[in-house]
Amino acid sequence: MAYKINNTFGTLLVTLSDGTIDTATTDLTLFGKGYAGFGEKLNENFVKVLENFNNTTAPVNKQQGQLWFDQTNKQINVYTGTKWKPVGSTTNSTTSPTNAVQGDLWLDTANKQLYV
């Protein structure tokens, strides 16, 4: 019997057939009933979550609310559903950020000006 994997809101993400894995729906490996290598994949998933997907590039199969530690900039980010947003720090760039919300900080690196 296939597993039906839902997100927090009850929306179906993927249906997993017995003995199969899915690496395309999320950035974790999802495995169906009876998958032979489940122990290794399960433990690797725990490490990825523990490390907040620590990498120099953003996760590809991101989910809203997912955290990612940007190894290049040494900064934690959260996926808003449309973009990766730095958490608890400024957005540093030469252009004004789009989709800013009240309270966001932006450091204009070209003009060395801080905006709220």
Side-chain angles (χ1 to χ4, degrees):
M1 177 95 183
Y3 289 151
K4 293 179 188 272
I5 308 298
N6 299 311
N7 67 13
T8 302
F9 302 105
T11 305
L12 180 67
L13 288 177
V14 66
T15 300
L16 291 167
S17 299
D18 292 354
T20 64
I21 62 170
D22 175 284
T23 58
T25 303
T26 71
D27 293 300
L28 297 175
T29 300
L30 304 175
F31 40 89
K33 181 179 180 179
Y35 178 72
F38 84 94
E40 180 178 3
K41 298 298 183 191
L42 177 65
N43 288 313
E44 288 173 351
N45 284 342
F46 286 141
V47 171
K48 287 178 185 179
V49 171
L50 179 67
E51 295 176 333
N52 295 304
F53 299 91
N54 183 4
N55 205 330
T56 56
T57 57
V60 176
N61 301 310
K62 55 211 171 271
Q63 302 292 310
Q64 185 175 5
Q66 182 174 338
L67 297 177
W68 161 53
F69 183 78
D70 178 354
Q71 182 57 240
T72 301
N73 296 307
K74 307 294 188 214
Q75 188 171 53
I76 193 82
N77 297 271
V78 65
Y79 186 66
T80 66
T82 56
K83 69 175 187 169
W84 287 103
K85 181 175 169 116
V87 175
S89 60
T90 59
T91 298
N92 305 320
S93 69
T94 57
T95 58
S96 176
T98 58
N99 303 332
V101 296
Q102 185 174 358
D104 283 355
L105 296 175
W106 165 51
L107 177 62
D108 179 349
T109 55
N111 298 305
K112 297 185 173 42
Q113 178 71 43
L114 181 65
Y115 296 90
V116 178

